[in-house]
Amino acid sequence: MFKQLLLLLAGLMFGMSASAAGNQYTLGVKGVACPYCAYGVEKRLNKVDGVENVSVDIGDNVVRVTMAEGATLTKAKARTAVDEAGFTLHSFSQAQAKQGKSDEQ
C-alpha cells in the first residue's frame, strides 16, 4: 500500500512539473558541426527574453528551446538569434501539441 501511494505521489509531482513547463520549440539550424558551434548558438538563444533552456543536438542540427511559462518564441526572434550566432535557421516549429501549430511570425 505504501509503495502504491508513493508511486501515485511521484506521478502527481511529475505531472505538475510537466504542466508548468513553458512552450517548447524545435529549430533546425544549418552549420552546427561541433561543440563550439553549439555553444555559440546556445549562448545567443539564451539572451532572448523568456528562454529557460537551450539544448543542441549536433548530429541532427536541431536546437530545442524551452521558454518560461507564458513566454513565446517567434520565428523572427529565433532567426535573428541564430543569424547573430553565425548560422542559418532552416526550420521552426512549436514542440508542444497543446500549444498549437508553428509560429510563423
Side-chain angles (χ1 to χ4, degrees), residues 12-13 16 23 36 70 79 85:
L12 287 173
M13 289 175 58
M16 289 174 61
N23 295 327
Y36 183 75
R79 184 178 310 281

Side-chain angles (χ1 to χ4, degrees), residues 17-78:
S17 67
S19 66
N23 295 327
Q24 296 180 356
Y25 298 87
T26 302
L27 315 178
V29 180
K30 290 184 182 177
V32 179
C34 67
Y36 183 75
C37 298
Y39 173 73
V41 171
E42 183 178 345
K43 183 177 175 183
R44 187 58 196 103
L45 281 165
N46 274 317
K47 291 183 179 182
V48 174
D49 286 338
V51 170
E52 280 191 342
N53 185 45
V54 178
S55 171
V56 181
D57 183 337
I58 297 169
D60 290 335
N61 290 319
V62 171
V63 179
R64 290 176 184 80
V65 180
T66 303
M67 302 298 288
E69 188 170 348
T72 58
L73 179 66
T74 64
K75 188 174 185 177
K77 286 181 187 178

Side-chain angles (χ1 to χ4, degrees), residues 25-28 45 48 67 72-83 88-94 101-105:
Y25 298 87
T26 302
L27 315 178
L45 281 165
V48 174
M67 302 298 288
T72 58
L73 179 66
T74 64
K75 188 174 185 177
K77 286 181 187 178
R79 184 178 310 281
T80 298
V82 169
D83 286 350
T88 304
L89 180 71
H90 70 84
S91 66
F92 176 87
S93 63
Q94 195 163 350
K101 294 184 178 182
S102 297
D103 184 2
E104 296 295 330
Q105 295 176 357

